[in-house]
Amino acid sequence: MSSPFTPDVVEAIKRHMNDDHADDGLLIVRALGGRPDATSATTSDVDAEAIEFTIDGGERVRVPWGETLTERPQVRLAVVRLYNEACAKLGVPPRGEH
């Protein structure tokens, strides 16, 4: 499926995730991406179906949104949902606002 997000939107989302929420991405990869021993996670792509991370410098891990996204504002809600699911699964208290 093609992405509903233009390349500049994808770049903005990646930049925001990597600059402001890198630790959140690592939690998501550990809990929902099947890589509990990952030590780093960089957001490398975003499309309608998933967010993708490059972990530990090379391997790519896709974590599905759980629904097909069609608009940019949905990304924030989907990431927060993944983050909260990851925290619950790992027994980590979630932060307040994102």
Side-chain angles (χ1 to χ4, degrees):
M1 172 176 211
S2 64
S3 179
F5 311 118
T6 62
D8 59 320
V9 167
V10 171
E11 287 303 313
I13 293 167
K14 288 170 29 179
R15 186 173 43 256
H16 176 71
M17 285 296 297
N18 293 326
D19 290 349
D20 298 336
H21 300 288
D23 292 341
D24 299 350
L26 183 56
L27 283 174
I28 291 167
V29 164
R30 287 178 174 168
L32 306 176
R35 302 302 187 277
D37 296 327
T39 59
S40 68
T42 303
T43 302
S44 52
D45 200 10
V46 174
D47 61 35
E49 303 300 327
I51 185 168
E52 182 179 275
F53 299 93
T54 301
I55 64 166
D56 301 331
E59 181 184 2
R60 290 186 172 233
V61 174
R62 285 178 58 83
V63 179
W65 298 123
E67 65 181 329
T68 300
L69 305 185
T70 58
E71 298 177 353
R72 183 179 182 166
Q74 293 174 299
V75 174
R76 181 182 183 282
L77 297 173
V79 169
V80 170
R81 185 174 56 252
L82 293 178
Y83 169 76
N84 286 326
E85 288 176 22
C87 287
K89 187 170 182 177
L90 296 175
V92 174
R95 287 188 326 278
E97 284 296 310
H98 279 82

